[in-house]
């Protein structure tokens, strides 16, 4: 649609900007012996003398005969003396004035021309001249009207032929399987057929000289459009390349330009993401093509990790084995690749263990599996009495009393007993995939009819 509009505007600009006089405005040549408007040829700078001298009488006679055959020069008087032509009188238009001077200079034997012609500016005569010109052009236009109708009819036939050729979907599917390239091929074919129709129309109207103007204007317009629509052209080319490469698929979870979300669709201008919060993000395709894309969905297996701190008195090897066993039994954690646990670092009062496990995203929800794994390891350590170190503070107390110390100890033990219920492991934790974002994307794709260039 945009390509067709550009072609139509382009043709209109060419017709308006072309400085070629329409054929119906050209006056037919009735008298082949009448003087033309061409410039006189160069004459010898030498002034003839003797037998080669042309008599003034002959010069006057010749100019008088010429002027009498031109109605616009009928009121111009001629006087010749020693080869010098003096023109007086008046003309109705500037063109007639100029023509009289050129004709006088072209006569053999004329040494110089003195211009004393005045242009008559009476309203009635001027209006009469304009009226005659308008009637002449109108008559020429009416006589040329059949050719105009035939030319525009042929152009319309080519236009309809181009529209009909874009409906051959099976042909374009054989040329390329990509939907965007199919659309581009249709636009190229349609533009080519319309341009051929325009050339045929010019041939019928005998206005092929306009093609030279077309080439010149096309070059200037190409430069102007290239600078003005540089970003648009860059996006368009990037859309073609992305539709061929297919770096991601619909519903893939990717990170692009610091935005993480699921791919909704790839259009001819931008890539649309839906973030995990349900927001739409539109990123220009030129940025997508040049950007770094992190795709979480291309490989269904995905690793997660987390850290756990234990007291320095706890046996590290026992803690590692317990963590591995717990993770292997956690729902959503897969056996291949295997679970791995390692000592990350040794702190001032604790030991940091780091757990590595894998899940498959096509069956389980990544966030839920990671959350369940952390919960299971924490509860397993609590059941095994593997204390997780707490911050140690040294307090200096004034006014110390043993009764206060005893009351503090009793209160602490009571609080500990009340806040430490028996730990129960829930083996039926929900780690299934959340489909609410997929449902929102499906609804949006159903409502938005904009074409998607990605393949499922």
């Amino acid at each position: 649609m945009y390509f067709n509009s550009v072609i139509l505007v382009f043709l209109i600009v060419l017709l308006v900007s072309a400085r070629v006089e329409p054929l119906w405005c050209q006056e037919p040549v009735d008298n082949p012996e009448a003087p033309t408007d061409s410039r006189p040829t160069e004459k010898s700078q030498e002034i003839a003398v003797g037998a080669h001298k042309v008599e003034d009488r002959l010069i006057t006679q010749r100019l008088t005969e010429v002027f009498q055959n031109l109605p616009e020069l009928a009121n111009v008087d001629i006087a010749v003396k020693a080869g010098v032509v003096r023109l007086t009188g008046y003309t109705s238009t500037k063109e007639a004035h100029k023509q009289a001077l050129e004709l006088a200079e072209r006569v053999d034997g004329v040494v110089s021309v003195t211009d004393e012609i005045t242009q008559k500016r009476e309203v009635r005569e001027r209006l009469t001249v304009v009226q005659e010109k308008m009637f002449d052009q109108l008559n020429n236009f009416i006589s040329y009207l059949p050719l105009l109708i035939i030319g525009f009819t042929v152009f319309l036939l080519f236009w309809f032929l181009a529209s009909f050729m874009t409906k051959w979907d099976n042909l374009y599917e054989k040329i390329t399987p990509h939907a965007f390239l199919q659309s581009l091929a249709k636009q190229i074919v349609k533009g080519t057929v319309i341009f051929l129709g325009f050339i045929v129309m010019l041939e019928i109207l005998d206005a092929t000289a306009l093609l030279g103007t077309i080439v010149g204007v096309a070059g200037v317009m190409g430069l102007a459009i290239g600078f003005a629509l540089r970003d648009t052209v860059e996006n368009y080319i990037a859309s073609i390349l992305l539709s061929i490469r297919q770096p991601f698929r619909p519903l893939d979870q990717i990170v692009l330009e610091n935005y993480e979300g699921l791919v909704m669709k790839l259009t001819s201008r931008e890539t649309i993401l839906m973030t995990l919060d349900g927001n739409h993000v539109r990123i220009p395709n030129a940025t997508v093509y040049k950007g770094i894309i992190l795709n979480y969905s291309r490989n269904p297996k995905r690793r997660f990790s987390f850290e756990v701190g234990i007291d320095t008195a706890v046996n590290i090897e026992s803690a590692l084995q317990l963590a591995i066993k717990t993770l292997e039994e956690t729902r959503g954690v897969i056996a291949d690749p295997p679970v791995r646990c390692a000592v990350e670092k040794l702190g001032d009062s604790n030991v940091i263990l780091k757990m590595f496990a894998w899940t498959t995203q096509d069956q389980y929800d990544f966030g839920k599996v990671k959350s369940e794994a952390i919960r299971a390891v924490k509860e397993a350590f609590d059941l095994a009495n593997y204390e997780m170190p707490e911050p140690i503070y040294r307090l200096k107390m004034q006014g110390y009393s043993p009764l206060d110390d005893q009351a503090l100890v009793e209160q602490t033990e009571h609080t500990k007993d009340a806040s430490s219920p028996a730990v129960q492991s829930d083996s039926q934790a929900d780690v299934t995939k959340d489909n609410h974002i997929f449902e929102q994307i499906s609804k949006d794709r159903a409502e938005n009819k904009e074409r998607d260039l990605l393949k499922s």
Side-chain angles (χ1 to χ4, degrees):
M1 183 63 67
Y2 296 107
F3 187 76
N4 298 336
S5 302
V6 170
I7 290 179
L8 185 59
V9 173
F10 176 70
L11 295 178
I12 294 174
V13 172
L14 290 178
L15 291 174
V16 173
S17 61
R19 297 182 178 178
V20 178
E21 183 180 5
L23 294 180
W24 59 81
C25 295
Q26 298 178 0
E27 297 182 359
V29 180
D30 297 330
N31 186 7
E33 297 182 358
T36 62
D37 292 339
S38 59
R39 299 297 301 173
T41 56
E42 292 185 1
K43 301 171 62 175
S44 175
Q45 295 181 353
E46 298 179 355
I47 300 176
V49 295
H52 299 287
K53 177 181 177 182
V54 180
E55 297 181 2
D56 294 342
R57 176 181 58 82
L58 297 178
I59 296 175
T60 304
Q61 181 180 354
R62 182 56 178 158
L63 283 177
T64 302
E65 292 175 354
V66 173
F67 284 12
Q68 287 178 352
N69 289 296
L70 296 175
E72 294 182 351
L73 304 181
N75 297 316
V76 177
D77 298 327
I78 305 168
V80 182
K81 186 175 182 180
V84 177
V85 179
R86 180 170 171 266
L87 299 179
T88 58
Y90 64 89
T91 58
S92 300
T93 61
K94 292 182 179 179
E95 290 77 7
H97 186 176
K98 183 179 179 181
Q99 185 182 22
L101 296 178
E102 291 178 352
L103 291 175
E105 292 174 351
R106 292 172 58 184
V107 176
D108 187 22
V110 174
V111 177
S112 177
V113 178
T114 302
D115 179 16
E116 296 183 2
I117 301 175
T118 59
Q119 188 174 345
K120 195 168 185 180
R121 303 184 183 276
E122 292 184 3
V123 177
R124 179 179 298 177
E125 293 191 6
R126 294 299 300 273
L127 291 178
T128 302
V129 173
V130 173
Q131 183 181 1
E132 291 176 355
K133 286 185 176 181
M134 291 181 63
F135 277 114
D136 291 340
Q137 293 182 359
L138 180 60
N139 292 331
N140 292 332
F141 176 77
I142 293 175
S143 62
Y144 201 73
L145 191 59
L147 282 179
L148 281 176
I149 295 176
I150 295 174
F152 281 109
T153 302
V154 171
F155 180 74
L156 290 177
L157 290 176
F158 272 87
W159 187 290
F160 289 123
L161 176 62
S163 301
F164 178 73
M165 293 178 64
T166 57
K167 297 180 180 180
W168 298 345
D169 295 333
N170 294 333
L171 175 62
Y172 296 103
E173 290 176 358
K174 293 180 180 179
I175 295 176
T176 174
H178 299 286
F180 186 67
L181 293 182
Q182 293 176 15
S183 176
L184 181 62
K186 290 179 181 179
Q187 293 176 0
I188 293 176
V189 170
K190 186 173 183 179
T192 303
V193 174
I194 291 176
F195 185 71
L196 290 176
F198 182 71
I199 294 178
V200 173
M201 181 185 69
L202 293 181
E203 289 287 348
I204 294 175
L205 300 179
D206 195 20
T208 53
L210 191 61
L211 291 177
T213 306
I214 292 177
V215 175
V217 175
V220 176
M221 287 188 64
L223 292 176
I225 292 175
F227 283 107
L229 304 178
R230 180 179 58 183
D231 294 338
T232 302
V233 174
E234 185 180 10
N235 270 335
Y236 195 78
I237 296 176
S239 302
I240 299 175
L241 299 177
L242 288 175
S243 65
I244 297 175
R245 291 180 54 194
Q246 300 280 326
F248 39 74
R249 293 170 296 186
L251 303 181
D252 276 2
Q253 183 176 346
I254 66 173
V255 177
L256 178 62
E257 292 294 316
N258 298 324
Y259 292 101
E260 181 177 357
L262 276 69
V263 178
M264 295 182 61
K265 63 176 58 179
L266 171 68
T267 68
S268 59
R269 296 179 297 276
E270 57 204 0
T271 299
I272 306 176
L273 303 181
M274 177 174 283
T275 65
L276 302 181
D277 298 328
N279 300 319
H280 286 66
V281 178
R282 295 177 177 266
I283 304 175
N285 285 334
T287 304
V288 176
Y289 184 76
K290 295 184 294 185
I292 299 175
I293 303 174
L294 174 59
N295 194 330
Y296 288 122
S297 302
R298 185 54 64 94
N299 181 12
K301 295 181 180 181
R302 183 176 175 186
R303 191 184 76 169
F304 63 88
S305 62
F306 59 92
E307 295 180 352
V308 177
I310 60 174
D311 192 85
T312 54
V314 176
N315 186 291
I316 297 178
E317 183 63 26
S318 299
L320 291 176
Q321 294 299 325
L322 178 60
I324 292 175
K325 182 179 179 180
T326 303
L327 288 175
E328 290 176 345
E329 296 176 353
T330 302
R331 188 182 178 193
V333 176
I334 60 177
D336 185 24
V339 176
R340 186 171 68 87
C341 298
V343 178
E344 180 70 11
K345 61 182 177 179
L346 181 64
D348 295 335
S349 58
N350 62 353
V351 177
I352 304 299
L353 306 181
K354 192 163 187 178
M355 318 299 176
F356 302 91
W358 291 76
T359 185
T360 176
Q361 298 180 100
D362 54 356
Q363 298 180 13
Y364 304 103
D365 186 273
F366 177 80
K368 289 182 178 181
V369 174
K370 181 177 180 180
S371 175
E372 177 63 16
I374 296 174
R375 184 195 66 80
V377 171
K378 194 268 181 187
E379 292 183 355
F381 280 15
D382 287 345
L383 288 174
N385 293 323
Y386 291 164
E387 295 184 359
M388 295 184 181
E390 300 176 354
I392 300 175
Y393 299 96
R394 185 174 182 179
L395 303 177
K396 184 177 181 181
M397 303 180 63
Q398 297 180 355
Y400 171 76
S401 173
L403 296 177
D404 295 338
D405 189 25
Q406 183 65 26
L408 181 59
V409 172
E410 293 177 356
Q411 183 179 0
T412 303
E413 292 179 352
H414 178 71
T415 304
K416 182 176 180 181
D417 294 338
S419 60
S420 301
V423 179
Q424 300 292 334
S425 178
D426 184 10
S427 60
Q428 299 299 325
D430 179 21
V431 293
T432 58
K433 292 176 65 69
D434 284 335
N435 294 322
H436 59 276
I437 294 185
F438 296 97
E439 293 173 357
Q440 294 181 43
I441 292 177
S442 299
K443 182 179 179 181
D444 186 274
R445 288 170 62 92
E447 295 176 352
N448 190 351
K449 300 302 182 181
E450 191 172 8
R451 191 169 191 177
D452 187 7
L453 305 181
L454 293 176
K455 286 186 176 181
S456 301

